[in-house]
Amino acid sequence: MKINPKIIYTPDYDIHFLGIEKLHPFDTRKFSRAYNLLNEQFGDQLKQRTIHPESEISDDDLRIVHTAGYLASLKSASVVARALELPLLATVPYLVLNSRLLSPMRLGVQGTVIAAYEAMQNGLAINLAGGYHHASSAKGEGFCLYADIPIAIEKLRQDGLLQPHQQAIIIDLDAHQGNGYERVYHQDNRNFIFDVYNQMIYPMDAFARERIDYAIPLNSGCNGRLYMDLIRHKLPEALQRVKTPGIAFYIAGTDIYEGDLLGNLKVPEADVIARDQFVLNTLMAANIPTVMVLGGGYSKESYEMIAATVGYVLETWG
Ligand SMILES: [Zn+2]
């Protein structure tokens, strides 16, 4: 496989709104912070590899995975406020919410779709957003409104780029269980789901867990050494089970980092970066086209780890 990595990014991924970063332990500008840091180091090399999503995901594409009723419900500020766990949003006019908050997320979904097509052609694509793994067909929760990965997978299937006999592999190393796409695919076994998550924190979704093909539940406080031992041994073993892989989606959540307030794990920064490198090297060595998306990551150091991984990709394959 020819590896010609692409970075999918627009400054419009950032959420600038009401001081939202003060209401939620979430760096709503980590996307541009990561990109700008990379830009200082790589300049033209980064720019030449960057693709800017020009438009948001379309309503037609959202309807591939989401119910019409759910999409209509997002016109209610109280529904959006619940999904994003920000009760104050319930008082904000919908038009403001839509332009400041939902619109950047729909751009992020389009970024994941673009990354999927780029990965099929160029081996590796990183969307500097996406990984909304708590959103299911008829429900948004956990700061996720749109199921970007299932939408991207279904688009590849519709276009015949992912053949009926081929599996999409979801490698979810965000600290939280990926209950959204697990629910989307609860009755659909065509794809392979590998999920490593802290079982002692949100969402604790037992129904969704039934769908995981290879689960590694962790306990709060898991350290870097144990975490990396598990990833190094179990990921290759899990990939052996996938007969005809077509594409992999890697959710590189940086909320496993010890400084993260939500993940409750104790993985040092160096191991978060080593994890990303191991996963990407494993998938590239196996010739599996790969999309990396960011998932969660709520610490002020999050963007530096993301930039370190993208920098590694540019130095190794760029
Ligand atoms: Zn998470």
Side-chain angles (χ1 to χ4, degrees):
M1 182 173 73
K2 174 179 66 96
I3 303 169
N4 181 25
K6 302 291 181 186
I7 314 300
I8 322 302
Y9 169 75
T10 164
D12 295 332
Y13 282 166
D14 279 7
I15 296 169
H16 305 268
F17 180 44
L18 283 180
I20 196 173
E21 59 273 20
K22 296 181 191 102
L23 304 174
H24 195 277
F26 180 74
D27 182 354
T28 51
R29 299 181 188 183
K30 70 178 175 181
F31 319 107
S32 64
R33 285 195 174 106
Y35 191 85
N36 293 340
L37 182 57
L38 283 160
N39 196 32
E40 287 170 19
Q41 296 163 349
F42 293 92
D44 285 347
Q45 189 190 357
L46 175 69
K47 288 196 188 82
Q48 283 158 13
R49 297 197 164 275
T50 302
I51 297 170
H52 300 283
E54 307 253 312
S55 62
E56 301 172 13
I57 191 82
S58 69
D59 287 345
D60 281 349
D61 285 349
L62 288 173
R63 279 194 289 267
I64 297 171
V65 167
H66 292 292
T67 64
Y70 170 65
L71 294 172
S73 80
L74 292 180
K75 297 212 154 62
S76 152
S78 63
V79 169
V80 174
R82 261 199 307 280
L84 302 185
E85 296 164 24
L86 292 166
L88 278 175
L89 293 182
T91 62
V92 175
Y94 168 73
L95 285 177
V96 177
L97 273 190
N98 190 50
S99 64
R100 298 294 189 87
L101 225 143
L102 275 60
S103 175
M105 290 181 183
R106 287 192 298 263
L107 267 175
V109 176
Q110 182 70 2
T112 300
V113 170
I114 293 170
Y117 285 84
E118 289 297 327
M120 295 309 272
Q121 203 173 356
N122 293 305
L124 177 57
I126 298 174
N127 182 22
L128 287 179
Y132 309 127
H133 64 162
H134 301 304
S136 55
S137 301
K139 193 174 179 219
E141 60 177 84
F143 217 76
C144 300
L145 296 181
Y146 306 111
D148 60 328
I149 293 172
I151 291 169
I153 292 172
E154 296 315 307
K155 295 234 358 134
L156 292 179
R157 289 207 184 278
Q158 285 181 355
D159 284 350
L161 291 172
L162 195 60
Q163 301 285 312
H165 68 281
Q166 287 182 306
Q167 292 86 41
I169 306 169
I170 300 174
I171 299 168
D172 188 347
L173 303 191
D174 183 281
H176 299 88
Q177 180 202 349
N179 61 327
Y181 61 79
E182 287 159 11
R183 282 176 173 261
V184 170
Y185 288 125
H186 205 267
Q187 300 302 320
D188 179 347
N189 286 315
R190 287 175 300 174
N191 306 309
F192 187 89
I193 297 173
F194 178 86
D195 195 354
V196 184
Y197 56 91
N198 184 348
Q199 63 183 338
M200 298 167 77
I201 59 173
Y202 168 85
M204 297 195 267
D205 187 335
F207 175 77
R209 271 178 206 174
E210 294 169 0
R211 177 57 190 83
I212 305 174
D213 295 287
Y214 200 118
I216 306 182
L218 306 172
N219 293 326
S220 288
C222 176
N223 63 35
R225 188 171 167 182
L226 173 58
Y227 186 90
M228 285 306 298
D229 272 354
L230 284 167
I231 300 293
R232 285 203 177 94
H233 289 102
K234 305 295 188 186
L235 178 63
E237 189 181 299
L239 291 177
Q240 292 291 319
R241 295 193 194 169
V242 186
K243 296 282 180 288
T244 44
I247 187 167
F249 288 81
Y250 170 40
I251 306 174
T254 44
D255 51 4
I256 65 164
Y257 165 59
E258 59 190 350
D260 193 279
L261 292 172
L262 298 186
N264 271 347
L265 300 174
K266 289 279 169 276
V267 181
E269 186 164 332
D271 283 331
V272 179
I273 297 164
R275 172 198 71 171
D276 291 348
Q277 294 179 359
F278 176 78
V279 171
L280 294 175
N281 279 315
T282 300
L283 292 166
M284 292 302 95
N287 284 314
I288 301 174
T290 296
V291 173
M292 176 175 137
V293 292
L294 299 191
Y298 309 93
S299 66
K300 62 184 192 315
E301 293 84 7
S302 189
Y303 80 94
E304 296 170 348
M305 294 180 268
I306 295 161
T309 291
V310 178
Y312 173 81
V313 164
L314 293 174
E315 281 166 355
T316 309
W317 295 292

